[in-house]
Amino acid sequence: MAHPSQLGFQDAASPLMEELLYFHDHALMVVFLISVFVLYIMIVMISTKLTDTLSSDSEEMEIIWTVLPALVLTLIALPSLRILYLMDEIDDPHLTIKAVGHQWYWSYEYADFDDLEFDAYMILTQDLLPGEFRLLETDSRAVIPFNSPIRMLTSAEDVLHSWTVPALGLKMDAVPGRLNQLTFIGARPGVFYGQCSEICGANHSFMPIVLEIVPLKNFIDWTLFMKA
């Protein structure tokens, strides 16, 4: 859960988000070193009055400033490609959920269970209970089992939406007439919040996402309760 004046990311709640955080730190360090090096060169060139006629026409210098950026790009590209392949990997999911975006609420269908589907509307401010978050709580939560591979299918009924849960590193567009999919594993139990991340109309800010990760026994009890 994000908090006011937070500068960094939310704590990772899935292995994929941990990989994204590591890659962010790696890329940020590369950018920082490049910035320091360029700033140093600029200061040296501005402050010094010495010139070298050999450096103005040097094949060695040209090779260095061509090869060095290529190496830097390789250092960034290889981890990035690895994460892209991890994000697209589908490895025998234990549960499949379909999230359909509407103006302006989400509906969920549990494909592995008969007649287990529901709509999730935002709870109005005047109806919130103590401790609940404004603009983030819904009347029904999507519940998944802890430490199980989950496949999430996203689509939309009217306009473009985007199903996003930052703490899990999840963001997938919901497109009318199309099914997109993503996979993830909840690494720890808890309640995680997200919002539609695609401008979808007047009430775009009022279709939150609440995902609750629970132990398997609690998940089974929840499915029995929902079907009853």
Side-chain angles (χ1 to χ4, degrees):
M1 182 69 192
H3 57 78
S5 71
Q6 178 174 332
L7 297 179
F9 292 97
Q10 299 181 29
D11 292 338
S14 69
L16 177 60
M17 188 58 186
E18 291 181 2
E19 293 289 341
L20 290 172
L21 289 178
Y22 294 149
F23 175 70
H24 169 267
D25 295 341
H26 169 74
L28 192 63
M29 181 57 65
V30 173
V31 171
F32 175 76
L33 293 175
I34 292 174
S35 301
V36 171
F37 177 71
V38 171
L39 180 62
Y40 169 76
I41 295 298
M42 292 175 60
I43 293 175
V44 169
M45 293 182 66
I46 293 173
S47 61
T48 185
K49 295 182 180 180
L50 299 176
T51 58
D52 186 359
T53 57
L54 296 178
S55 62
S56 60
D57 186 18
S58 174
E59 292 184 1
E60 290 79 5
M61 287 290 293
E62 292 179 2
I63 293 174
I64 290 174
W65 69 47
T66 301
V67 173
L68 193 59
L71 293 176
V72 172
L73 290 176
T74 303
L75 287 176
I76 298 177
L78 292 180
S80 176
L81 291 173
R82 174 177 173 271
I83 295 177
L84 282 175
Y85 279 103
L86 288 176
M87 293 174 68
D88 285 338
E89 186 176 356
I90 307 296
D91 186 18
D92 191 21
H94 296 173
L95 180 66
T96 298
I97 305 173
K98 181 180 178 182
V100 181
H102 308 265
Q103 288 180 313
W104 288 270
Y105 64 95
W106 292 97
S107 61
Y108 297 94
E109 304 171 9
Y110 284 69
D112 302 286
F113 297 88
D114 294 331
D115 300 325
L116 182 51
E117 55 185 61
F118 55 89
D119 299 329
Y121 293 88
M122 187 192 75
I123 299 178
L124 300 177
T125 303
Q126 59 268 26
D127 298 329
L128 289 174
L129 299 176
E132 292 184 336
F133 300 103
R134 178 178 173 270
L135 301 183
L136 289 177
E137 296 288 350
T138 59
D139 56 357
S140 298
R141 294 175 173 177
V143 180
I144 63 172
F146 161 69
N147 208 23
S148 296
I150 308 297
R151 175 170 55 191
M152 180 66 69
L153 305 177
T154 61
S155 185
E157 190 180 66
D158 34 48
V159 298
L160 289 175
H161 299 279
S162 184
W163 198 84
T164 305
V165 182
L168 294 167
L170 304 177
K171 186 178 189 300
M172 181 59 69
D173 285 346
V175 183
R178 177 187 175 93
L179 272 180
N180 292 327
Q181 70 175 0
L182 51 84
T183 56
F184 64 96
I185 298 175
R188 55 188 171 88
V191 179
F192 305 95
Y193 297 90
Q195 290 178 302
C196 176
S197 299
E198 191 77 50
I199 297 177
C200 56
N203 292 330
H204 158 68
S205 302
F206 309 113
M207 49 182 304
I209 299 161
V210 183
L211 186 66
E212 185 172 0
I213 302 175
V214 299
L216 182 59
K217 180 181 182 303
N218 299 61
F219 174 74
I220 295 174
D221 293 341
W222 175 81
T223 57
L224 296 175
F225 171 77
M226 293 296 292
K227 295 179 71 173

